[in-house]
Structures are given as structure tokens and as C-alpha cells.
Amino acid sequence: MYKNKNITIFLHLLVWLTLFSLPYLLSYSQDQELDRVKAHFWIPLFFSAIIFYFNYFVLIDRFLFPKKTLLFIAVNIALIGLFLFLKEYIEDNYFQDILKKRLANTERTEPPFKMAMYIQLLSYLAPLFFSVALKSTKRWAKTEAERKEAANFKLKSELQHLHYQLQPHFFFNSLNNIYSLVDISPDQAKSSIHSLSKLMRYMLYETNLEVVPLSKEIDFLKKYIDLMKLRVSDKTSVSYSFPVKETGIQIAPLLFISLIENAFKHGVSATKPSTIDINMTCDDNTVLFSVENHNFPKKTDDKSGSGIGLQNLEKRLELLYSDKFSFKTILKDDRFLVTLKIETN
């Protein structure tokens, strides 16, 4: 911040030093021309600097931006009028030689008085307009930065809310599954609780980052599938395939778990044979994930999960990957297929 401020000050000094030096250098430091440089260039340039900085630091913020436009114009008219008067007064009283020379050459070289006044007026309007343009650009940049910061904060807040919403939903479904094992197989229930504690540790301590290695997410999914397989009967066949080699892909955490949860919720029957096929492939920076399972619709009074997982997933995908994902579901006969394609780069 201080470095940028110092650079800005240096650039301002450099610009004004160049403007003040240029007329003097062009006169080749001739004594007879130095007074002319002072009267016709340095004094108006000094007044221009006052107009620029007085507007930049005071008038624009106090009058123009609060939409007190008439007052802003009136003050600048008075200021420019004052400097026009002062310039003529200084020339008349302190640069007599230039005045005599100007009067002698009036008919031959000097422009008419009105035209000279118009030229001087325009020379004072230039720093005024420049200060307005510079200040407006700076204000727009600041407003745009604040808008982006607010949008980014809103995005992070919404994602955090969805993330926290997913955890109790996942925990609730897992506990329901373990509860069903308590009477049937206490040992499996005990093992399931231990496995669940590992899964929850991952969710609590390793998923707070924006992205995680895909390999960690795959390891989490495998453990969850193995946990869910403990509660299904022999009539349900569960198969999965994940990339074996390290892909190097970084991805937002917990995007696939809801799809697997949904498969175990709707694809398992206590009386009929069923299959759940889970598959993930990677191509460069693209991840293709699919889950296919039998479909056994739940009763309307079954509130387990409440469908919040898929709603949560779609919202997160829209926020995180915008137009870089494809999410499709197909229900045909008694089979349900969901595919999720994500471009991670």
C-alpha cells in the first residue's frame, strides 16, 4: 500500500517537473525569454496545479459526487476567474517589459484579447476535466473492487452454509444406517461407528479448503461405500471403479458423496435383487462420475434425508463450477442413472 502511494507521488512530481521544465528548456535559458516563460507558462501552470489538486482532493468529493453539481461549477468558475485576474495583475505589475513588448507587437503577432482569454480559459479547464476523469476512474475502480469483494464474500458464505448443511445430513443418514445394524449385527454396528468416525474426521478437518486432491476424495468415497455395504443384504450387488494412479487433479470436496448416498437410499430393496454400479474416470483435468442403480421409490412419508443432498449438490456446482460442469439424471424402467462431468481447470 505504502509502495503504491510512493509511486503515485513520484509520478505526480515527475509530470509537473516535466511540464515546468519544458518551456524553460525550449527557450534555451535565454535571459530575454526567461521572464516570458515565467509569465506565460510557469504562473498559469502553477494555477493549473492548484485547480487540479483542489478539485481532486476537495471539490469533487464534497460537491460533484454528492450531486451538488451547480455548486461545483460555481466554485470552479470563481476559482478560474480569480486565476485569470491574478495572471493579468501579475503581468501588469511585475513583468512590465513583457507588457511593453506585447503592446508593441499586438497588431503583428499577438492574438486578439478575447481569443487569448479563451485560450487561457481552456488551459484552466483541462486540469479540471482531468482531475474529474482521474477521480471518477479511481472511484469506479474502488466501487468495482468492493462489489467483487462483496460478491466473493457472499459466494463463500453461501458455500460455507451448504458445506455445513451437508455434514449433519451425511451424519444423520449414516447414523440411520448404523442404527439398523444394532439389533441385527452388533459387531458390524461397532465397526461401522469406527469407520464413521474416520469419515467424520475427514469431513471436519480436511474439507474446509476450497479444493482437495481427488485421491483423498476417492479414498473417502471408498470408505463410505464399504461402510454402506455392511447394511445391505446379499441380494444387493455393489461395485465401484476409481482411478488407481495419482491424477494430480484438485477438486472441491464432497461433491460426489450425495450421489452415492442417493443410490443406497433408492437403489436397495430388502426383498428384490438390486445393483449399484459406481464409476469414475479422469481425462486430463476432466472428471466423469456416474452412478447407476435400481430404483425403488420411497414412500411419501419417508423423510430420511429429505432430498437435501442433491439440492445441495446442484447449488454448489453452480457456485463453484458455473458453466464447467454437466449434471444429468435418467430414469428408465426400473433403472436410475446419474452422470456428473466436471472440468477442474
Side-chain angles (χ1 to χ4, degrees):
M1 180 179 178
Y2 290 106
K3 185 178 180 180
N4 292 337
K5 187 176 181 180
N6 289 336
I7 292 175
T8 302
I9 293 174
F10 172 76
L11 290 175
H12 277 251
L13 289 175
L14 184 62
V15 169
W16 288 113
L17 181 62
T18 302
L19 290 175
F20 272 94
S21 301
L22 191 61
Y24 178 71
L25 294 175
L26 292 177
S27 70
Y28 303 102
S29 305
Q30 297 178 21
D31 293 338
Q32 66 272 21
E33 295 292 338
L34 186 57
D35 285 344
R36 180 179 175 83
V37 168
K38 292 178 183 178
H40 291 292
F41 293 102
W42 285 356
I43 291 174
L45 201 58
F46 175 71
F47 290 156
S48 296
I50 294 175
I51 291 173
F52 175 85
Y53 288 111
F54 189 52
N55 274 277
Y56 189 83
F57 289 112
V58 180
L59 297 182
I60 295 174
D61 287 328
R62 184 168 294 182
F63 299 128
L64 186 61
F65 287 162
K67 297 183 178 180
K68 299 178 182 179
T69 310
L70 292 178
L71 192 56
F72 174 77
I73 294 173
V75 173
N76 273 288
I77 289 175
L79 190 64
I80 292 173
L82 174 64
F83 288 153
L84 288 173
F85 169 76
L86 286 176
K87 179 179 179 299
E88 294 299 319
Y89 178 82
I90 291 172
E91 285 187 8
D92 291 344
N93 289 274
Y94 298 98
F95 296 97
Q96 294 293 334
D97 293 339
I98 293 178
L99 182 61
K100 291 178 182 179
K101 185 177 180 181
R102 186 173 67 181
L103 291 173
N105 297 329
T106 297
E107 295 183 357
R108 291 185 289 121
T109 59
E110 291 291 321
F113 177 75
K114 287 185 177 180
M115 182 178 294
M117 291 297 293
Y118 288 146
I119 293 172
Q120 292 179 39
L121 181 62
L122 289 175
S123 69
Y124 289 139
L125 288 176
L128 168 61
F129 292 147
F130 186 65
S131 66
V132 172
L134 193 63
K135 193 74 171 182
S136 299
T137 302
K138 186 177 180 181
R139 188 192 191 200
W140 175 85
K142 182 180 179 182
T143 303
E144 187 68 12
E146 290 174 349
R147 186 191 66 79
K148 289 181 179 180
E149 185 178 356
N152 188 46
F153 178 77
K154 181 182 178 182
L155 173 63
K156 287 184 177 180
S157 299
E158 190 168 353
L159 285 171
Q160 190 177 50
H161 170 71
L162 292 171
H163 183 75
Y164 289 154
Q165 189 181 50
L166 178 62
Q167 290 185 5
H169 168 261
F170 171 84
F171 196 50
F172 173 78
N173 283 349
S174 300
L175 285 178
N176 275 345
N177 294 330
I178 294 172
Y179 177 77
S180 64
L181 293 174
V182 172
D183 294 328
I184 302 173
S185 177
D187 290 336
Q188 283 190 342
K190 186 184 296 183
S191 176
S192 297
I193 292 173
H194 180 67
S195 298
L196 180 61
S197 67
K198 291 182 179 180
L199 295 176
M200 291 306 297
R201 186 176 296 112
Y202 172 79
M203 294 187 72
L204 290 173
Y205 300 113
E206 297 189 47
T207 61
N208 290 325
L209 301 174
E210 291 184 6
V211 292
V212 296
L214 182 61
S215 57
K216 284 191 174 183
E217 193 71 8
I218 290 173
D219 186 55
F220 168 75
L221 296 176
K222 287 180 178 179
K223 289 178 180 177
Y224 178 75
I225 294 170
D226 292 337
L227 174 62
M228 292 297 98
K229 286 169 66 176
L230 294 176
R231 63 174 287 269
V232 300
S233 66
D234 295 338
K235 293 182 179 181
T236 301
S237 172
V238 181
S239 64
Y240 60 80
S241 174
F242 291 99
V244 178
K245 296 181 180 179
E246 176 62 50
T247 63
I249 293 176
Q250 300 279 323
I251 199 163
L254 307 176
L255 289 177
F256 309 106
I257 188 64
S258 298
L259 302 179
I260 298 177
E261 280 186 298
N262 196 61
F264 277 99
K265 177 184 176 184
H266 297 285
V268 175
S269 171
T271 58
K272 299 178 181 179
S274 59
T275 60
I276 298 175
D277 298 316
I278 302 166
N279 184 64
M280 178 186 287
T281 58
C282 298
D283 182 15
D284 294 329
N285 291 313
T286 301
V287 179
L288 179 62
F289 183 74
S290 66
V291 182
E292 184 175 1
N293 54 270
H294 281 84
N295 184 55
F296 301 103
K298 296 296 182 181
K299 297 179 181 179
T300 55
D301 60 347
D302 185 353
K303 300 298 182 182
S304 60
S306 304
I308 196 174
L310 294 183
Q311 295 175 12
N312 185 302
L313 171 62
E314 291 191 69
K315 288 181 181 178
R316 292 185 70 212
L317 287 170
E318 289 172 0
L319 292 171
L320 289 168
Y321 292 101
S322 185
D323 57 347
K324 293 185 177 182
F325 80 94
S326 172
F327 182 62
K328 298 178 181 179
T329 59
I330 300 174
L331 178 59
K332 186 175 181 180
D333 299 329
D334 62 343
R335 301 289 292 177
F336 182 79
L337 173 64
V338 58
T339 58
L340 173 59
K341 182 179 180 181
I342 302 174
E343 297 177 16
T344 60
N345 58 341

